[in-house]
Amino acid sequence: MGLISNPFKQVANSKPLFFTVYATVFVGIVFSAIYVFSAVYSPDSAFSWNLSPHVTPSSPNQTLDSPSLRVGGGVMSAIRQPQTGKLKPIWETPPVGSKMPPLETFRLTKDMVQKRVKDNVIVATFGNYAFMDFILTWVKHLTDLGVENLLVGAMDTKLLEALYWKGVPVFDMGSHMSTIDVGWGSPTFHKMGREKVVLIDSILPFGYELLMCDTDMVWLKNPLPYLARYPEADVLTSTDQVTPTVTDDRLDNWEQAGAAYNIGIFHWRPTDSAKKLAKEWKEMLLADDKIWDQNGFNDLVHKQLGPPVDDESGLVYAYDGTLKLGLLPASIFCSGHTYFVQAMYQQLRLEPYAVHTTFQYAGTEGKRHRLREAMVFYDPPEYYDSPGGFLTFKPSIPKSLLLDGEHNLETHFTLVNYQIKQIRTALAMASILNRTLVMPPMWCRLDRLWFSHPGVIIGSMTRQPFICPLDHVFEVHTMLKALPIEEFGPGINIREYSFFDNPLMPSQVKDSWLDVQLCQEGSENCQSNNTSTTGVLRFPKHSNEETLKRVFSPLKNVKVIQFSSMQDAFLGFTDKTSEEQFRKRVKRYVGIWCCVDGHTPGHIYYDMYWDEKPEWKPLPPQTPEDDHPHW
């Protein structure tokens, strides 16, 4: 121990030659240490902590283990937090027969976060049990992208236990919240927003970068290399911007982006200015429960906006004049409008990183349906194999309805009504045959918004006509809700228009397929039941309920029945009670278009039975008494 603890005493007792050697080695070590230290911290060094914001990985999914790719942000990140070794794999379930650990085991601590951190970054979301499927989808997308440095906050014990048994890293937020869907804008919804701010304020002092996300969004591409391009940013936030300010993948232009900053996706670095913002934001919300969390954030960061941090990065000084803020481009960190309506990323030939289900009209069910339409929602296997089988049809839309004339209220409603009538027929047939209807894509000429507009948002990239989300026309949440059978008849299950294109669709469903070609009654082979060789059945137009049941009831084992058209396919119900129940049900399925300029109210109700009213026109309610749906 003496030699190790007293090296300089040993050197002093040695011969002069050896003293010279020891001295030379010691001086070399000192100068080497000084050189390495200066190389790491010099702003001019190739191994700089202020790496150019435009350095990008060579591969979209490249990991960030190399300092040249993952350099953190500012002085704070130069002193790295202690890192663990390899992360415990996600989806690795607890051993069979093991017991649920005590609740206090799941308390959020720095040690817990540290066990999930990689490259000083933690990705987090939170929710209650009502959003379990959204959370599993969120986690699955990240793990498929190779991102496992994540944590999920559980706002109720039911979700915490469910995620634990699935092998998802979870912590207890101590909220003791209801397990049901609370609904946008409700008092409990605002409480959830406050929990988010408290969570950010709790995690930042741990010293880790935090990518905070809402559960109603999915990751389509690993975002961490993109965020690493802006190491000087204290906060990078998504926005509700619907007109492009850039045409590439740079940050949005803060001088041109006038929309609200959306806190559904944002990245925080543990700098002094970011922690100061989080603390003030939390205190603001806790002092006044009437303030919406997003409005509070926008008010604070807009206290000062400008000047730019530099000429290149796109960052801007905000909040107190020291916070460096960046706006994630709306074309690739997509809102519900830039992704589902404009498809801005497609038109700009960019790869989207994320989609957040904002700008939609049917609550949580509408969000889920949009993600399903985009084939980015993970449903269990039984979703793709309904016990009663599926009914679908090829929509027939004349070119003139899509393209001729100007895009206005008349041409929009003529196009949509033409499709509504076909869907109404298909819903009736699906109800009679007890099959799940796979909806067709809906074409619209005009956008739907909360405010008056000339058809589409001026300056946006919305093309006309466009395939619009189902919630632009139909009340998706009503279609999926259990209505009393004695009043509304049996429920009618639906699926999204992209259902059969989904890679999760099992082959045994797609292989059990019958094409139905409509024909004139009395023509050759019309109503033939021989499907053994061709998988095709010719079925007479204008058939009634009995004919429908007689022909298709023996084909219950066929998973998919696809009609060549719904034009004149079905004459109607034979049983009047069934027909009346069906009418009451489907009248509630259609929503509103919004909004006519210069008229209050400016919305126009869609009518499922518009064709029964020869004088029907797309007009907003003329009096308060007229302001009600067509039922």
Side-chain angles (χ1 to χ4, degrees):
M1 291 296 294
L3 180 62
I4 297 174
S5 60
N6 242 325
F8 294 103
K9 183 177 179 180
Q10 296 295 325
V11 170
N13 293 331
S14 301
K15 294 180 180 181
L17 177 60
F18 289 105
F19 180 85
T20 303
V21 173
Y22 273 110
T24 302
V25 170
F26 178 75
V27 171
I29 291 172
V30 171
F31 276 94
S32 297
I34 294 172
Y35 175 79
V36 171
F37 185 87
S38 63
V40 171
Y41 289 98
S42 168
D44 299 322
S45 168
F47 188 68
S48 170
W49 293 97
N50 296 315
L51 189 68
S52 166
H54 298 293
V55 173
T56 56
S58 57
S59 168
N61 294 322
Q62 186 167 353
T63 59
L64 303 177
D65 297 325
S66 167
S68 65
L69 293 178
R70 171 77 244 149
V71 295
V75 177
M76 186 78 191
S77 298
I79 305 173
R80 307 286 285 181
Q81 293 295 320
Q83 304 287 298
T84 58
K86 187 178 180 181
L87 298 178
K88 181 182 177 182
I90 295 176
W91 309 115
E92 186 177 284
T93 57
V96 177
S98 61
K99 293 183 178 181
M100 182 76 190
L103 194 59
E104 55 266 24
T105 309
F106 298 93
R107 188 169 60 89
L108 183 69
T109 62
K110 181 176 180 178
D111 182 61
M112 171 189 277
V113 177
Q114 182 179 318
K115 289 177 180 177
R116 295 305 317 174
V117 162
K118 182 180 179 183
D119 301 305
N120 220 53
V121 179
I122 189 73
V123 188
T125 191
F126 67 98
N128 66 351
Y129 187 79
F131 285 85
M132 173 83 167
D133 53 351
F134 282 90
I135 290 168
L136 293 177
T137 293
W138 183 87
V139 174
K140 181 72 164 59
H141 274 280
L142 284 174
T143 55
D144 285 352
L145 293 167
V147 179
E148 299 209 343
N149 47 320
L150 60 88
L151 273 173
V152 177
M155 303 188 78
D156 59 70
T157 307
K158 188 175 181 181
L159 175 65
L160 188 147
E161 293 181 353
L163 292 179
Y164 171 77
W165 290 114
K166 287 184 176 294
V168 175
V170 60
F171 65 93
D172 178 21
M173 294 186 66
S175 307
H176 307 296
M177 190 178 170
S178 168
T179 59
I180 64 172
D181 184 3
V182 298
W184 191 94
S186 67
T188 311
F189 172 84
H190 289 296
K191 181 180 183 294
M192 289 181 72
R194 281 157 173 72
E195 297 276 2
K196 178 195 295 186
V197 184
V198 171
L199 183 57
I200 293 169
D201 184 62
S202 299
I203 292 180
L204 286 182
F206 295 163
Y208 304 117
E209 297 181 29
L210 171 64
L211 176 55
M212 174 60 71
C213 325
D214 285 352
T215 56
D216 62 340
M217 59 80 58
V218 296
W219 290 106
L220 307 173
K221 185 178 177 181
N222 182 357
L224 301 183
Y226 185 92
L227 302 175
R229 287 166 51 178
Y230 301 96
E232 294 301 313
D234 298 305
V235 176
L236 294 166
T237 182
S238 59
T239 74
D240 288 334
Q241 185 70 20
V242 290
T243 58
T245 68
V246 293
T247 56
D248 51 23
D249 67 349
R250 290 175 297 165
L251 293 176
D252 262 333
N253 186 321
W254 61 272
E255 293 180 291
Q256 297 178 25
Y261 301 161
N262 190 294
I263 59 173
I265 307 171
F266 56 172
H267 179 254
W268 294 68
R269 287 196 170 89
T271 57
D272 289 342
S273 53
K275 287 187 283 187
K276 179 184 174 185
L277 171 61
K279 186 173 186 295
E280 185 174 349
W281 187 20
K282 180 189 75 172
E283 291 172 348
M284 169 196 282
L285 296 179
L286 295 180
D288 187 349
D289 59 8
K290 294 182 176 60
I291 300 176
W292 182 27
D293 56 342
Q294 182 164 292
N295 288 348
F297 177 80
N298 276 268
D299 289 344
L300 287 174
V301 296
H302 280 90
K303 278 185 176 181
Q304 176 180 329
L305 193 63
V309 172
D310 52 50
D311 295 331
E312 297 295 328
S313 68
L315 299 174
V316 59
Y317 287 109
Y319 174 48
D320 62 355
T322 67
L323 183 90
K324 297 170 185 173
L325 177 72
L327 307 183
L328 297 170
S331 58
I332 51 179
F333 291 84
C334 309
S335 69
H337 199 279
T338 61
Y339 188 89
F340 297 109
V341 176
Q342 297 186 52
M344 190 186 289
Y345 71 92
Q346 286 184 348
Q347 299 195 68
L348 295 176
R349 301 297 188 265
L350 300 172
E351 293 183 19
Y353 282 88
V355 55
H356 187 193
T357 53
T358 54
F359 289 87
Q360 64 88 44
Y361 306 93
T364 302
E365 291 85 355
K367 294 173 183 284
R368 191 180 286 110
H369 193 85
R370 283 202 181 188
L371 294 175
R372 285 170 171 165
E373 286 182 334
M375 297 185 291
V376 294
F377 196 81
Y378 290 106
D379 282 294
E382 55 267 25
Y383 180 80
Y384 300 94
D385 192 2
S386 177
F390 302 98
L391 178 74
T392 185
F393 68 97
K394 295 180 179 180
S396 172
I397 305 175
K399 165 195 166 281
S400 59
L401 295 187
L402 279 171
L403 302 174
D404 289 1
E406 66 178 60
H407 300 289
N408 55 33
L409 282 173
E410 286 70 26
T411 57
H412 170 74
F413 272 86
T414 300
L415 169 63
V416 171
N417 283 345
Y418 190 87
Q419 297 170 88
I420 284 177
K421 184 177 179 181
Q422 295 182 51
I423 291 170
R424 184 184 76 202
T425 300
L427 285 166
M429 295 170 69
S431 177
I432 290 169
L433 297 176
N434 193 29
R435 285 182 174 266
T436 296
L437 177 63
V438 178
M439 299 292 285
M442 283 295 304
W443 283 91
C444 293
R445 281 187 176 239
L446 303 184
D447 197 357
R448 175 180 175 178
L449 297 160
W450 294 274
F451 48 86
S452 60
H453 59 93
V456 296
I457 299 173
I458 296 174
S460 71
M461 298 184 71
T462 305
R463 295 167 291 187
Q464 295 173 276
F466 63 98
I467 293 179
C468 51
L470 190 64
D471 59 70
H472 272 211
V473 176
F474 285 85
E475 301 284 78
V476 175
H477 54 299
T478 301
M479 299 178 83
L480 299 175
K481 185 166 64 175
L483 298 172
I485 295 177
E486 60 275 8
E487 184 177 359
F488 298 99
I492 309 168
N493 292 325
I494 63 167
R495 294 292 187 267
E496 63 281 3
Y497 72 83
S498 57
F499 185 66
F500 294 120
D501 295 323
N502 197 308
L504 297 177
M505 170 62 60
S507 58
Q508 68 264 26
V509 173
K510 295 184 73 172
D511 292 344
S512 179
W513 190 288
L514 173 66
D515 281 312
V516 178
Q517 297 178 352
L518 296 182
C519 55
Q520 293 294 336
E521 188 173 9
S523 62
E524 186 178 0
N525 294 327
C526 200
Q527 199 178 317
S528 169
N529 210 14
N530 182 12
T531 63
S532 59
T533 57
T534 63
V536 175
L537 185 150
R538 288 170 56 77
F539 183 72
K541 294 181 179 180
H542 307 292
S543 293
N544 60 19
E545 183 175 350
E546 278 85 3
T547 305
L548 198 67
K549 287 180 177 178
R550 185 178 69 252
V551 172
F552 292 103
S553 291
L555 302 175
K556 288 181 179 178
N557 291 332
V558 177
K559 295 289 187 181
V560 184
I561 295 176
Q562 178 176 261
F563 279 75
S564 60
S565 173
M566 276 294 143
Q567 296 282 40
D568 304 319
F570 180 58
L571 193 61
F573 289 85
T574 304
D575 182 82
K576 295 304 176 186
T577 300
S578 297
E579 181 178 18
E580 187 57 35
Q581 290 173 333
F582 174 79
R583 288 174 69 95
K584 290 182 72 172
R585 172 178 288 276
V586 299
K587 281 181 178 181
R588 288 160 170 78
Y589 280 8
V590 287
I592 63 170
W593 177 85
C594 195
C595 283
V596 176
D597 193 16
H599 194 285
T600 303
H603 56 256
I604 302 173
Y605 291 95
Y606 290 107
D607 189 345
M608 184 65 89
Y609 288 91
W610 62 273
D611 54 319
E612 295 180 357
K613 302 169 184 175
E615 302 301 317
W616 192 95
K617 295 186 185 306
L619 297 173
Q622 301 302 298
T623 67
E625 291 74 28
D626 296 330
D627 189 12
H628 60 80
H630 299 283
W631 43 272

